PDB file of all heavy atoms in Angstrom:
ATOM      1  N   THR A 246      98.012  88.640  83.975  1.00 85.00           N
ATOM      2  CA  THR A 246      96.784  88.764  84.767  1.00 85.00           C
ATOM      3  C   THR A 246      96.432  90.206  85.076  1.00 85.00           C
ATOM      4  O   THR A 246      95.271  90.605  84.979  1.00 85.00           O
ATOM      5  CB  THR A 246      96.924  87.984  86.088  1.00 85.00           C
ATOM      6  OG1 THR A 246      97.263  86.632  85.800  1.00 85.00           O
ATOM      7  CG2 THR A 246      95.632  88.025  86.877  1.00 85.00           C
ATOM      8  N   THR A 247      97.436  90.981  85.470  1.00 93.00           N
ATOM      9  CA  THR A 247      97.205  92.391  85.805  1.00 93.00           C
ATOM     10  C   THR A 247      98.268  93.276  85.160  1.00 93.00           C
ATOM     11  O   THR A 247      99.345  92.812  84.782  1.00 93.00           O
ATOM     12  CB  THR A 247      97.249  92.628  87.331  1.00 93.00           C
ATOM     13  OG1 THR A 247      98.558  92.299  87.830  1.00 93.00           O
ATOM     14  CG2 THR A 247      96.201  91.806  88.048  1.00 93.00           C
ATOM     15  N   VAL A 248      97.941  94.553  85.054  1.00 96.00           N
ATOM     16  CA  VAL A 248      98.899  95.587  84.643  1.00 96.00           C
ATOM     17  C   VAL A 248      99.186  96.441  85.871  1.00 96.00           C
ATOM     18  O   VAL A 248      98.277  97.056  86.430  1.00 96.00           O
ATOM     19  CB  VAL A 248      98.341  96.468  83.512  1.00 96.00           C
ATOM     20  CG1 VAL A 248      99.351  97.554  83.132  1.00 96.00           C
ATOM     21  CG2 VAL A 248      97.971  95.632  82.310  1.00 96.00           C
ATOM     22  N   LYS A 249     100.439  96.458  86.308  1.00 97.00           N
ATOM     23  CA  LYS A 249     100.835  97.296  87.434  1.00 97.00           C
ATOM     24  C   LYS A 249     101.265  98.644  86.893  1.00 97.00           C
ATOM     25  O   LYS A 249     102.001  98.724  85.912  1.00 97.00           O
ATOM     26  CB  LYS A 249     101.967  96.625  88.219  1.00 97.00           C
ATOM     27  CG  LYS A 249     101.581  95.268  88.790  1.00 97.00           C
ATOM     28  CD  LYS A 249     102.773  94.581  89.429  1.00 97.00           C
ATOM     29  CE  LYS A 249     102.377  93.212  89.934  1.00 97.00           C
ATOM     30  NZ  LYS A 249     101.989  92.289  88.835  1.00 97.00           N
ATOM     31  N   MET A 250     100.823  99.706  87.555  1.00 98.00           N
ATOM     32  CA  MET A 250     101.122 101.051  87.096  1.00 98.00           C
ATOM     33  C   MET A 250     101.567 101.906  88.267  1.00 98.00           C
ATOM     34  O   MET A 250     101.122 101.712  89.407  1.00 98.00           O
ATOM     35  CB  MET A 250      99.892 101.673  86.413  1.00 98.00           C
ATOM     36  CG  MET A 250      99.356 100.849  85.253  1.00 98.00           C
ATOM     37  SD  MET A 250      97.936 101.597  84.399  1.00 98.00           S
ATOM     38  CE  MET A 250      98.691 103.042  83.672  1.00 98.00           C
ATOM     39  N   GLY A 251     102.439 102.869  87.985  1.00 98.00           N
ATOM     40  CA  GLY A 251     102.915 103.750  89.038  1.00 98.00           C
ATOM     41  C   GLY A 251     103.204 105.137  88.508  1.00 98.00           C
ATOM     42  O   GLY A 251     103.689 105.297  87.383  1.00 98.00           O
ATOM     43  N   LEU A 252     102.883 106.139  89.313  1.00 98.00           N
ATOM     44  CA  LEU A 252     103.266 107.525  89.044  1.00 98.00           C
ATOM     45  C   LEU A 252     104.431 107.862  89.967  1.00 98.00           C
ATOM     46  O   LEU A 252     104.332 107.668  91.190  1.00 98.00           O
ATOM     47  CB  LEU A 252     102.095 108.470  89.302  1.00 98.00           C
ATOM     48  CG  LEU A 252     102.417 109.976  89.258  1.00 98.00           C
ATOM     49  CD1 LEU A 252     102.869 110.404  87.869  1.00 98.00           C
ATOM     50  CD2 LEU A 252     101.200 110.795  89.712  1.00 98.00           C
ATOM     51  N   PHE A 253     105.525 108.344  89.388  1.00 98.00           N
ATOM     52  CA  PHE A 253     106.754 108.602  90.137  1.00 98.00           C
ATOM     53  C   PHE A 253     107.211 110.044  89.952  1.00 98.00           C
ATOM     54  O   PHE A 253     106.966 110.657  88.906  1.00 98.00           O
ATOM     55  CB  PHE A 253     107.891 107.714  89.616  1.00 98.00           C
ATOM     56  CG  PHE A 253     107.774 106.258  89.948  1.00 98.00           C
ATOM     57  CD1 PHE A 253     106.867 105.449  89.278  1.00 98.00           C
ATOM     58  CD2 PHE A 253     108.588 105.681  90.913  1.00 98.00           C
ATOM     59  CE1 PHE A 253     106.776 104.092  89.552  1.00 98.00           C
ATOM     60  CE2 PHE A 253     108.504 104.326  91.194  1.00 98.00           C
ATOM     61  CZ  PHE A 253     107.600 103.534  90.519  1.00 98.00           C
ATOM     62  N   TYR A 254     107.915 110.545  90.956  1.00 97.00           N
ATOM     63  CA  TYR A 254     108.806 111.667  90.729  1.00 97.00           C
ATOM     64  C   TYR A 254     110.035 111.111  90.021  1.00 97.00           C
ATOM     65  O   TYR A 254     110.385 109.934  90.185  1.00 97.00           O
ATOM     66  CB  TYR A 254     109.230 112.328  92.041  1.00 97.00           C
ATOM     67  CG  TYR A 254     108.148 113.111  92.741  1.00 97.00           C
ATOM     68  CD1 TYR A 254     107.679 112.705  93.986  1.00 97.00           C
ATOM     69  CD2 TYR A 254     107.627 114.271  92.178  1.00 97.00           C
ATOM     70  CE1 TYR A 254     106.690 113.424  94.647  1.00 97.00           C
ATOM     71  CE2 TYR A 254     106.639 115.007  92.831  1.00 97.00           C
ATOM     72  CZ  TYR A 254     106.179 114.571  94.064  1.00 97.00           C
ATOM     73  OH  TYR A 254     105.208 115.277  94.704  1.00 97.00           O
ATOM     74  N   THR A 255     110.712 111.931  89.253  1.00 96.00           N
ATOM     75  CA  THR A 255     111.845 111.427  88.488  1.00 96.00           C
ATOM     76  C   THR A 255     113.088 111.174  89.345  1.00 96.00           C
ATOM     77  O   THR A 255     114.093 110.690  88.834  1.00 96.00           O
ATOM     78  CB  THR A 255     112.199 112.390  87.329  1.00 96.00           C
ATOM     79  OG1 THR A 255     112.299 113.722  87.816  1.00 96.00           O
ATOM     80  CG2 THR A 255     111.141 112.316  86.247  1.00 96.00           C
ATOM     81  N   ASP A 256     113.012 111.481  90.645  1.00 96.00           N
ATOM     82  CA  ASP A 256     114.107 111.083  91.537  1.00 96.00           C
ATOM     83  C   ASP A 256     113.920 109.668  92.076  1.00 96.00           C
ATOM     84  O   ASP A 256     114.727 109.178  92.871  1.00 96.00           O
ATOM     85  CB  ASP A 256     114.261 112.074  92.693  1.00 96.00           C
ATOM     86  CG  ASP A 256     113.047 112.098  93.625  1.00 96.00           C
ATOM     87  OD1 ASP A 256     112.061 111.356  93.371  1.00 96.00           O
ATOM     88  OD2 ASP A 256     113.064 112.874  94.599  1.00 96.00           O
ATOM     89  N   GLY A 257     112.845 108.995  91.635  1.00 96.00           N
ATOM     90  CA  GLY A 257     112.596 107.623  92.045  1.00 96.00           C
ATOM     91  C   GLY A 257     111.575 107.458  93.145  1.00 96.00           C
ATOM     92  O   GLY A 257     111.211 106.321  93.479  1.00 96.00           O
ATOM     93  N   LYS A 258     111.065 108.543  93.690  1.00 97.00           N
ATOM     94  CA  LYS A 258     110.043 108.446  94.728  1.00 97.00           C
ATOM     95  C   LYS A 258     108.687 108.167  94.086  1.00 97.00           C
ATOM     96  O   LYS A 258     108.302 108.823  93.121  1.00 97.00           O
ATOM     97  CB  LYS A 258     109.972 109.747  95.528  1.00 97.00           C
ATOM     98  CG  LYS A 258     108.926 109.714  96.645  1.00 97.00           C
ATOM     99  CD  LYS A 258     108.887 111.038  97.404  1.00 97.00           C
ATOM    100  CE  LYS A 258     107.813 111.036  98.473  1.00 97.00           C
ATOM    101  NZ  LYS A 258     107.734 112.332  99.173  1.00 97.00           N
ATOM    102  N   ILE A 259     107.986 107.184  94.625  1.00 97.00           N
ATOM    103  CA  ILE A 259     106.702 106.811  94.056  1.00 97.00           C
ATOM    104  C   ILE A 259     105.581 107.598  94.729  1.00 97.00           C
ATOM    105  O   ILE A 259     105.548 107.763  95.946  1.00 97.00           O
ATOM    106  CB  ILE A 259     106.468 105.284  94.190  1.00 97.00           C
ATOM    107  CG1 ILE A 259     105.246 104.842  93.384  1.00 97.00           C
ATOM    108  CG2 ILE A 259     106.375 104.853  95.647  1.00 97.00           C
ATOM    109  CD1 ILE A 259     105.160 103.340  93.190  1.00 97.00           C
ATOM    110  N   LEU A 260     104.679 108.142  93.904  1.00 97.00           N
ATOM    111  CA  LEU A 260     103.545 108.897  94.433  1.00 97.00           C
ATOM    112  C   LEU A 260     102.326 108.001  94.603  1.00 97.00           C
ATOM    113  O   LEU A 260     101.585 108.121  95.578  1.00 97.00           O
ATOM    114  CB  LEU A 260     103.170 110.052  93.493  1.00 97.00           C
ATOM    115  CG  LEU A 260     104.008 111.318  93.528  1.00 97.00           C
ATOM    116  CD1 LEU A 260     105.300 111.126  92.753  1.00 97.00           C
ATOM    117  CD2 LEU A 260     103.218 112.484  92.949  1.00 97.00           C
ATOM    118  N   GLU A 261     102.094 107.137  93.619  1.00 97.00           N
ATOM    119  CA  GLU A 261     100.891 106.315  93.636  1.00 97.00           C
ATOM    120  C   GLU A 261     101.135 105.085  92.780  1.00 97.00           C
ATOM    121  O   GLU A 261     101.814 105.146  91.750  1.00 97.00           O
ATOM    122  CB  GLU A 261      99.704 107.114  93.063  1.00 97.00           C
ATOM    123  CG  GLU A 261      98.388 106.358  93.048  1.00 97.00           C
ATOM    124  CD  GLU A 261      97.237 107.177  92.477  1.00 97.00           C
ATOM    125  OE1 GLU A 261      97.417 108.397  92.268  1.00 97.00           O
ATOM    126  OE2 GLU A 261      96.166 106.579  92.213  1.00 97.00           O
ATOM    127  N   LYS A 262     100.606 103.957  93.207  1.00 97.00           N
ATOM    128  CA  LYS A 262     100.659 102.759  92.373  1.00 97.00           C
ATOM    129  C   LYS A 262      99.308 102.051  92.427  1.00 97.00           C
ATOM    130  O   LYS A 262      98.590 102.128  93.421  1.00 97.00           O
ATOM    131  CB  LYS A 262     101.779 101.812  92.813  1.00 97.00           C
ATOM    132  CG  LYS A 262     101.630 101.231  94.207  1.00 97.00           C
ATOM    133  CD  LYS A 262     102.770 100.252  94.496  1.00 97.00           C
ATOM    134  CE  LYS A 262     102.623  99.641  95.886  1.00 97.00           C
ATOM    135  NZ  LYS A 262     103.673  98.638  96.158  1.00 97.00           N
ATOM    136  N   TRP A 263      98.957 101.367  91.340  1.00 97.00           N
ATOM    137  CA  TRP A 263      97.662 100.706  91.256  1.00 97.00           C
ATOM    138  C   TRP A 263      97.740  99.635  90.177  1.00 97.00           C
ATOM    139  O   TRP A 263      98.750  99.502  89.475  1.00 97.00           O
ATOM    140  CB  TRP A 263      96.565 101.725  90.978  1.00 97.00           C
ATOM    141  CG  TRP A 263      96.581 102.345  89.608  1.00 97.00           C
ATOM    142  CD1 TRP A 263      95.796 102.031  88.543  1.00 97.00           C
ATOM    143  CD2 TRP A 263      97.437 103.413  89.150  1.00 97.00           C
ATOM    144  NE1 TRP A 263      96.096 102.827  87.461  1.00 97.00           N
ATOM    145  CE2 TRP A 263      97.097 103.679  87.807  1.00 97.00           C
ATOM    146  CE3 TRP A 263      98.453 104.167  89.752  1.00 97.00           C
ATOM    147  CZ2 TRP A 263      97.736 104.660  87.056  1.00 97.00           C
ATOM    148  CZ3 TRP A 263      99.090 105.130  89.007  1.00 97.00           C
ATOM    149  CH2 TRP A 263      98.734 105.377  87.681  1.00 97.00           C
ATOM    150  N   GLU A 264      96.668  98.869  90.037  1.00 97.00           N
ATOM    151  CA  GLU A 264      96.608  97.802  89.043  1.00 97.00           C
ATOM    152  C   GLU A 264      95.294  97.855  88.284  1.00 97.00           C
ATOM    153  O   GLU A 264      94.283  98.326  88.806  1.00 97.00           O
ATOM    154  CB  GLU A 264      96.728  96.418  89.714  1.00 97.00           C
ATOM    155  CG  GLU A 264      98.023  96.170  90.429  1.00 97.00           C
ATOM    156  CD  GLU A 264      98.088  94.776  91.047  1.00 97.00           C
ATOM    157  OE1 GLU A 264      97.106  94.011  90.917  1.00 97.00           O
ATOM    158  OE2 GLU A 264      99.107  94.449  91.675  1.00 97.00           O
ATOM    159  N   ILE A 265      95.334  97.353  87.052  1.00 97.00           N
ATOM    160  CA  ILE A 265      94.121  97.123  86.282  1.00 97.00           C
ATOM    161  C   ILE A 265      94.220  95.714  85.686  1.00 97.00           C
ATOM    162  O   ILE A 265      95.321  95.172  85.566  1.00 97.00           O
ATOM    163  CB  ILE A 265      93.926  98.167  85.158  1.00 97.00           C
ATOM    164  CG1 ILE A 265      95.066  98.104  84.137  1.00 97.00           C
ATOM    165  CG2 ILE A 265      93.791  99.561  85.745  1.00 97.00           C
ATOM    166  CD1 ILE A 265      94.851  98.973  82.907  1.00 97.00           C
ATOM    167  N   PRO A 266      93.105  95.110  85.313  1.00 94.00           N
ATOM    168  CA  PRO A 266      93.158  93.750  84.735  1.00 94.00           C
ATOM    169  C   PRO A 266      93.802  93.753  83.352  1.00 94.00           C
ATOM    170  O   PRO A 266      93.652  94.700  82.581  1.00 94.00           O
ATOM    171  CB  PRO A 266      91.684  93.331  84.647  1.00 94.00           C
ATOM    172  CG  PRO A 266      90.938  94.304  85.501  1.00 94.00           C
ATOM    173  CD  PRO A 266      91.719  95.573  85.496  1.00 94.00           C
ATOM    174  N   SER A 267      94.540  92.677  83.060  1.00 92.00           N
ATOM    175  CA  SER A 267      95.031  92.458  81.691  1.00 92.00           C
ATOM    176  C   SER A 267      93.911  91.864  80.847  1.00 92.00           C
ATOM    177  O   SER A 267      92.825  91.573  81.352  1.00 92.00           O
ATOM    178  CB  SER A 267      96.233  91.511  81.696  1.00 92.00           C
ATOM    179  OG  SER A 267      97.360  92.126  82.259  1.00 92.00           O
ATOM    180  N   LYS A 268      94.205  91.667  79.569  1.00 88.00           N
ATOM    181  CA  LYS A 268      93.213  91.089  78.664  1.00 88.00           C
ATOM    182  C   LYS A 268      93.856  89.981  77.837  1.00 88.00           C
ATOM    183  O   LYS A 268      95.003  90.099  77.403  1.00 88.00           O
ATOM    184  CB  LYS A 268      92.638  92.164  77.729  1.00 88.00           C
ATOM    185  CG  LYS A 268      91.780  93.188  78.448  1.00 88.00           C
ATOM    186  CD  LYS A 268      91.189  94.191  77.477  1.00 88.00           C
ATOM    187  CE  LYS A 268      90.250  95.150  78.209  1.00 88.00           C
ATOM    188  NZ  LYS A 268      89.670  96.155  77.298  1.00 88.00           N
ATOM    189  N   LYS A 269      93.119  88.917  77.615  1.00 86.00           N
ATOM    190  CA  LYS A 269      93.559  87.834  76.745  1.00 86.00           C
ATOM    191  C   LYS A 269      93.009  88.088  75.330  1.00 86.00           C
ATOM    192  O   LYS A 269      92.027  88.806  75.147  1.00 86.00           O
ATOM    193  CB  LYS A 269      93.039  86.487  77.247  1.00 86.00           C
ATOM    194  CG  LYS A 269      93.344  86.206  78.717  1.00 86.00           C
ATOM    195  CD  LYS A 269      94.825  85.976  78.961  1.00 86.00           C
ATOM    196  CE  LYS A 269      95.076  85.599  80.410  1.00 86.00           C
ATOM    197  NZ  LYS A 269      96.509  85.444  80.712  1.00 86.00           N
ATOM    198  N   ASN A 270      93.635  87.487  74.353  1.00 87.00           N
ATOM    199  CA  ASN A 270      93.167  87.586  72.958  1.00 87.00           C
ATOM    200  C   ASN A 270      92.895  89.039  72.566  1.00 87.00           C
ATOM    201  O   ASN A 270      91.849  89.362  72.002  1.00 87.00           O
ATOM    202  CB  ASN A 270      91.909  86.736  72.764  1.00 87.00           C
ATOM    203  CG  ASN A 270      92.138  85.287  73.149  1.00 87.00           C
ATOM    204  OD1 ASN A 270      93.151  84.701  72.771  1.00 87.00           O
ATOM    205  ND2 ASN A 270      91.211  84.713  73.899  1.00 87.00           N
ATOM    206  N   ASP A 271      93.877  89.907  72.875  1.00 86.00           N
ATOM    207  CA  ASP A 271      93.703  91.348  72.713  1.00 86.00           C
ATOM    208  C   ASP A 271      94.263  91.819  71.367  1.00 86.00           C
ATOM    209  O   ASP A 271      95.121  92.695  71.312  1.00 86.00           O
ATOM    210  CB  ASP A 271      94.395  92.064  73.884  1.00 86.00           C
ATOM    211  CG  ASP A 271      94.161  93.562  73.900  1.00 86.00           C
ATOM    212  OD1 ASP A 271      93.051  93.992  73.535  1.00 86.00           O
ATOM    213  OD2 ASP A 271      95.098  94.299  74.262  1.00 86.00           O
ATOM    214  N   ALA A 272      93.796  91.209  70.286  1.00 86.00           N
ATOM    215  CA  ALA A 272      94.327  91.531  68.956  1.00 86.00           C
ATOM    216  C   ALA A 272      94.090  92.988  68.579  1.00 86.00           C
ATOM    217  O   ALA A 272      94.856  93.564  67.797  1.00 86.00           O
ATOM    218  CB  ALA A 272      93.699  90.611  67.917  1.00 86.00           C
ATOM    219  N   ASN A 273      93.067  93.606  69.123  1.00 89.00           N
ATOM    220  CA  ASN A 273      92.761  95.005  68.810  1.00 89.00           C
ATOM    221  C   ASN A 273      93.467  96.002  69.717  1.00 89.00           C
ATOM    222  O   ASN A 273      93.215  97.208  69.625  1.00 89.00           O
ATOM    223  CB  ASN A 273      91.250  95.241  68.870  1.00 89.00           C
ATOM    224  CG  ASN A 273      90.499  94.486  67.791  1.00 89.00           C
ATOM    225  OD1 ASN A 273      90.997  94.345  66.673  1.00 89.00           O
ATOM    226  ND2 ASN A 273      89.321  93.986  68.122  1.00 89.00           N
ATOM    227  N   LEU A 274      94.320  95.486  70.601  1.00 93.00           N
ATOM    228  CA  LEU A 274      95.135  96.336  71.481  1.00 93.00           C
ATOM    229  C   LEU A 274      94.281  97.225  72.387  1.00 93.00           C
ATOM    230  O   LEU A 274      94.684  98.348  72.728  1.00 93.00           O
ATOM    231  CB  LEU A 274      96.097  97.207  70.658  1.00 93.00           C
ATOM    232  CG  LEU A 274      96.989  96.481  69.652  1.00 93.00           C
ATOM    233  CD1 LEU A 274      97.902  97.468  68.933  1.00 93.00           C
ATOM    234  CD2 LEU A 274      97.808  95.388  70.314  1.00 93.00           C
ATOM    235  N   THR A 275      93.142  96.735  72.804  1.00 93.00           N
ATOM    236  CA  THR A 275      92.291  97.538  73.685  1.00 93.00           C
ATOM    237  C   THR A 275      92.917  97.728  75.063  1.00 93.00           C
ATOM    238  O   THR A 275      92.568  98.674  75.774  1.00 93.00           O
ATOM    239  CB  THR A 275      90.900  96.900  73.836  1.00 93.00           C
ATOM    240  OG1 THR A 275      91.042  95.553  74.302  1.00 93.00           O
ATOM    241  CG2 THR A 275      90.168  96.883  72.500  1.00 93.00           C
ATOM    242  N   LEU A 276      93.852  96.845  75.436  1.00 96.00           N
ATOM    243  CA  LEU A 276      94.544  97.029  76.713  1.00 96.00           C
ATOM    244  C   LEU A 276      95.347  98.325  76.718  1.00 96.00           C
ATOM    245  O   LEU A 276      95.416  99.020  77.739  1.00 96.00           O
ATOM    246  CB  LEU A 276      95.462  95.833  76.998  1.00 96.00           C
ATOM    247  CG  LEU A 276      96.234  95.884  78.317  1.00 96.00           C
ATOM    248  CD1 LEU A 276      95.279  95.993  79.506  1.00 96.00           C
ATOM    249  CD2 LEU A 276      97.123  94.658  78.467  1.00 96.00           C
ATOM    250  N   LEU A 277      95.926  98.673  75.583  1.00 96.00           N
ATOM    251  CA  LEU A 277      96.662  99.937  75.492  1.00 96.00           C
ATOM    252  C   LEU A 277      95.724 101.126  75.659  1.00 96.00           C
ATOM    253  O   LEU A 277      96.100 102.149  76.240  1.00 96.00           O
ATOM    254  CB  LEU A 277      97.405 100.030  74.162  1.00 96.00           C
ATOM    255  CG  LEU A 277      98.510  98.992  73.925  1.00 96.00           C
ATOM    256  CD1 LEU A 277      99.206  99.264  72.595  1.00 96.00           C
ATOM    257  CD2 LEU A 277      99.517  98.989  75.074  1.00 96.00           C
ATOM    258  N   ASP A 278      94.489 100.999  75.166  1.00 97.00           N
ATOM    259  CA  ASP A 278      93.490 102.054  75.392  1.00 97.00           C
ATOM    260  C   ASP A 278      93.216 102.210  76.884  1.00 97.00           C
ATOM    261  O   ASP A 278      93.127 103.332  77.399  1.00 97.00           O
ATOM    262  CB  ASP A 278      92.184 101.711  74.667  1.00 97.00           C
ATOM    263  CG  ASP A 278      92.336 101.690  73.155  1.00 97.00           C
ATOM    264  OD1 ASP A 278      93.083 102.530  72.621  1.00 97.00           O
ATOM    265  OD2 ASP A 278      91.715 100.828  72.514  1.00 97.00           O
ATOM    266  N   ASP A 279      93.088 101.070  77.584  1.00 97.00           N
ATOM    267  CA  ASP A 279      92.817 101.100  79.022  1.00 97.00           C
ATOM    268  C   ASP A 279      93.966 101.766  79.780  1.00 97.00           C
ATOM    269  O   ASP A 279      93.748 102.573  80.691  1.00 97.00           O
ATOM    270  CB  ASP A 279      92.614  99.686  79.557  1.00 97.00           C
ATOM    271  CG  ASP A 279      91.366  99.018  78.998  1.00 97.00           C
ATOM    272  OD1 ASP A 279      90.521  99.720  78.420  1.00 97.00           O
ATOM    273  OD2 ASP A 279      91.247  97.779  79.150  1.00 97.00           O
ATOM    274  N   ILE A 280      95.198 101.420  79.402  1.00 97.00           N
ATOM    275  CA  ILE A 280      96.369 101.997  80.074  1.00 97.00           C
ATOM    276  C   ILE A 280      96.425 103.499  79.838  1.00 97.00           C
ATOM    277  O   ILE A 280      96.680 104.281  80.767  1.00 97.00           O
ATOM    278  CB  ILE A 280      97.659 101.314  79.576  1.00 97.00           C
ATOM    279  CG1 ILE A 280      97.679  99.846  80.012  1.00 97.00           C
ATOM    280  CG2 ILE A 280      98.897 102.042  80.105  1.00 97.00           C
ATOM    281  CD1 ILE A 280      98.784  99.022  79.371  1.00 97.00           C
ATOM    282  N   ALA A 281      96.173 103.923  78.606  1.00 98.00           N
ATOM    283  CA  ALA A 281      96.191 105.354  78.291  1.00 98.00           C
ATOM    284  C   ALA A 281      95.123 106.107  79.081  1.00 98.00           C
ATOM    285  O   ALA A 281      95.376 107.220  79.584  1.00 98.00           O
ATOM    286  CB  ALA A 281      95.979 105.557  76.788  1.00 98.00           C
ATOM    287  N   GLU A 282      93.941 105.511  79.217  1.00 98.00           N
ATOM    288  CA  GLU A 282      92.877 106.150  79.981  1.00 98.00           C
ATOM    289  C   GLU A 282      93.268 106.290  81.448  1.00 98.00           C
ATOM    290  O   GLU A 282      92.958 107.300  82.098  1.00 98.00           O
ATOM    291  CB  GLU A 282      91.574 105.356  79.842  1.00 98.00           C
ATOM    292  CG  GLU A 282      90.896 105.492  78.487  1.00 98.00           C
ATOM    293  CD  GLU A 282      90.595 106.943  78.143  1.00 98.00           C
ATOM    294  OE1 GLU A 282      90.069 107.669  79.021  1.00 98.00           O
ATOM    295  OE2 GLU A 282      90.910 107.362  77.015  1.00 98.00           O
ATOM    296  N   GLU A 283      93.939 105.268  81.995  1.00 98.00           N
ATOM    297  CA  GLU A 283      94.391 105.332  83.387  1.00 98.00           C
ATOM    298  C   GLU A 283      95.430 106.438  83.575  1.00 98.00           C
ATOM    299  O   GLU A 283      95.412 107.162  84.573  1.00 98.00           O
ATOM    300  CB  GLU A 283      94.980 103.983  83.809  1.00 98.00           C
ATOM    301  CG  GLU A 283      93.943 102.914  84.054  1.00 98.00           C
ATOM    302  CD  GLU A 283      93.070 103.239  85.258  1.00 98.00           C
ATOM    303  OE1 GLU A 283      93.618 103.500  86.347  1.00 98.00           O
ATOM    304  OE2 GLU A 283      91.839 103.246  85.114  1.00 98.00           O
ATOM    305  N   ILE A 284      96.336 106.573  82.633  1.00 98.00           N
ATOM    306  CA  ILE A 284      97.352 107.625  82.710  1.00 98.00           C
ATOM    307  C   ILE A 284      96.687 109.002  82.688  1.00 98.00           C
ATOM    308  O   ILE A 284      97.015 109.887  83.496  1.00 98.00           O
ATOM    309  CB  ILE A 284      98.358 107.474  81.552  1.00 98.00           C
ATOM    310  CG1 ILE A 284      99.246 106.252  81.801  1.00 98.00           C
ATOM    311  CG2 ILE A 284      99.217 108.735  81.393  1.00 98.00           C
ATOM    312  CD1 ILE A 284     100.114 105.867  80.622  1.00 98.00           C
TER     313      ILE A 284
END
């Protein structure tokens, strides 16, 4: 349903977390494009 994402310091402390919608029937892998854009 959703993609959970987080930006962390490498000591494990979280700076920010957020979500974006997942996609069904994503044969073209457009969800990976969305994740890359969020990063």
Side-chain angles (χ1 to χ4, degrees):
T246 304
T247 62
V248 179
K249 300 174 182 65
M250 304 182 67
L252 171 64
F253 289 75
Y254 289 115
T255 49
D256 65 359
K258 180 180 178 182
I259 190 166
L260 281 79
E261 181 180 350
K262 64 177 181 177
W263 70 101
E264 297 181 0
I265 62 172
S267 290
K268 292 182 176 179
K269 308 291 184 183
N270 304 314
D271 186 36
N273 294 324
L274 307 181
T275 56
L276 181 58
L277 296 183
D278 295 323
D279 294 346
I280 294 170
E282 287 303 314
E283 285 294 307
I284 288 170

